Structures are given as C-alpha cells and as structure tokens.
Amino acid sequence: MIEHFSYGYLTLPIAFLVSMTGSALGLLMARHARRQERPGHRALWLAVAAFAIGGTGIWVMHFVAMLGFAVEDAELRYDPALTALSALVAVAVVACGLLVIGLGRYSTLKLAVAGLFTGAGVAAMHYLGMAAVSADVVLTHRPGYVAAAVAIAVVAATTALWLSWRLERAASIWLAAVVMALAVNLMHYTAMFGVATAGESTAEAHGVHSMDLVFPMATLTAIVMLILVYAVVIVPTDAEMRTEARMTSLEGQLRQPTDSR
C-alpha cells in the first residue's frame, strides 16, 4: 500500500506555503528585472527569480511533499547526488524560461517555447527526484498520470512565465503566487498518485533516509529564503524610483545654468 501522507496532512500545507512564498518572491524579482535597462542587470535579477521560483517554489515543495511518501512494509532511501541534481535542474529550467521571456522583445511564440521547455524541465525534475528513490520494491509510473503531470507542468510553467512578465501590483503578485502554488502541488500529486508497486526488488535499498536530509535542506532553504527576502526589501518601490527620477531630473535642470556659463 502506497501512502502519500505518512506523517498526516501536515506536509500538504507546508509544501503549499513554501511554494507560494517562493513563487511570490520570484515574481517580485521578475518585476524588478523588467525595470532594468541594462541586459546584464536584468539577467542577474532573472537568475535570482529562478532560484526563488525553481529552487523554493518548485523543488523545496517537491522535497517537503516527498517526506510523506511511504510504501507499506518497504524501505525507501534517497540518492543524495540525484536529489541535488534534481534541484539544479529545477533552477536551471526556470532560469532558461525567464531569460528567454525576459530578454529581448516579448512575443507569444517566445512564451510558448519557453513554457514548453520549462514545463518539460519541471516534469523532468520531478521524475529525476523519483529516480533518486531507492526501494526494496519495484516502483512504476502509470503512463496516463505521467502525461497528465507533464501537461499540468507545461501549463503551470507557461502561466508562471506570463505572470512574471505582466504583473506589477504586489497584491496581484501574491494572488498569482497562490495560483502557481496550487498548480505546482497539483502537478506533484498527480504524478505521485500514478506511482504503483510491481513486486519486490532484487536489489537492496541504498542511500540515505529522507529524514536524514531534512536538517541540511531546511538549513539551506532558510538561508536562501533570508537572502531572497533581503533582496526584496532592498529593492526600491515604485514611489522611491519616481522620487529618485524627479530628483535626478531636478539636479540636471539646476546644473544647466552653471554649465552654460
């Protein structure tokens, strides 16, 4: 028997809140990236947004949700290298999607291509994370659920990229983050409900227990979240940017008579 909430339903709201927070921080970073005139500065902020959305909003959600995954009378272990690789994939594919949509002229074709690539990458991240699971039973994936999970991932990624390009108001960004978190959770559990067992495995489970990864992952997530929150705090607001622009314009006007002399 497969259990997706072996520690109760506690992992579900935690995964949702983590995903929502990471998505919101990423959208705030993307909004600031759009204000940058220099491509290098814009790319830097988009990369930070990718860490927030891909690393926290997607991968940490996946990790938290996987804590509740268990198979009755079976031992589950995790390969740390493949687990870490799945995190890198999540950040990389989101970064690629944001850079495609955020650099150069926006177009619907770019959005479609970036959404398809990013969504497929997010699905690949999930199944790479599942490949990191080593068990003394054979785990299989029902094709129908796999197809549905990939489709949800593509739609969710495309929506996230579109929102990262469009939203300006903070209230809209947090509402969009809720929608994104719902989509990410829906993709994850759709894929997980498609997992089935096919008898005992001839190989023994190897790797580390999921609980052995909780402390290092929680510490790393906390550090990343603090850095992202700090980055959001130091970003100037619209009012501050308008005030700075007016001050710069006023200084330029005051210097003109002096320069003409």
Side-chain angles (χ1 to χ4, degrees), residues 14-205:
I14 294 176
F16 176 81
L17 289 174
V18 168
S19 183
M20 181 188 69
T21 304
S23 298
L25 291 173
L27 290 175
L28 289 169
M29 298 295 178
R31 180 183 66 175
H32 187 64
R34 294 196 304 271
R35 299 170 177 171
Q36 304 300 315
E37 297 294 335
R38 297 181 181 179
H41 290 176
R42 178 175 288 194
L44 177 61
W45 282 103
L46 288 174
V48 177
F51 269 96
I53 297 175
T56 305
I58 297 175
W59 185 84
V60 175
M61 175 271 145
H62 166 84
F63 178 81
V64 172
M66 286 299 294
L67 292 176
F69 177 65
V71 180
E72 187 177 2
D73 298 327
E75 182 180 12
L76 300 181
R77 299 279 179 169
Y78 289 81
D79 185 325
L82 283 178
T83 301
L85 180 60
S86 67
L88 294 176
V89 169
V91 174
V93 296
V94 172
C96 290
L98 288 174
L99 290 173
V100 168
I101 202 72
L103 298 179
R105 181 175 296 181
Y106 172 85
S107 70
T108 304
L109 178 60
K110 287 177 63 175
L111 175 63
V113 172
L116 180 61
F117 174 81
T118 304
V122 169
M125 174 279 301
H126 173 84
Y127 287 104
L128 182 60
M130 287 301 298
V133 178
S134 175
D136 52 6
V137 294
V138 177
L139 298 177
T140 61
H141 301 276
R142 299 186 183 97
Y145 285 88
V146 174
V150 173
I152 294 171
V154 170
V155 173
T158 304
T159 302
L161 293 174
W162 182 80
L163 292 172
S164 72
W165 179 259
R166 294 291 183 182
L167 295 183
E168 286 292 338
R169 297 179 59 184
S172 299
I173 286 175
W174 280 101
L175 180 60
V178 172
V179 175
M180 289 170 61
L182 287 172
V184 172
N185 278 263
L186 179 61
M187 184 276 293
H188 174 84
Y189 285 107
T190 298
M192 293 307 296
F193 288 149
V195 177
T197 57
E200 296 184 0
S201 174
T202 56
E204 294 184 359

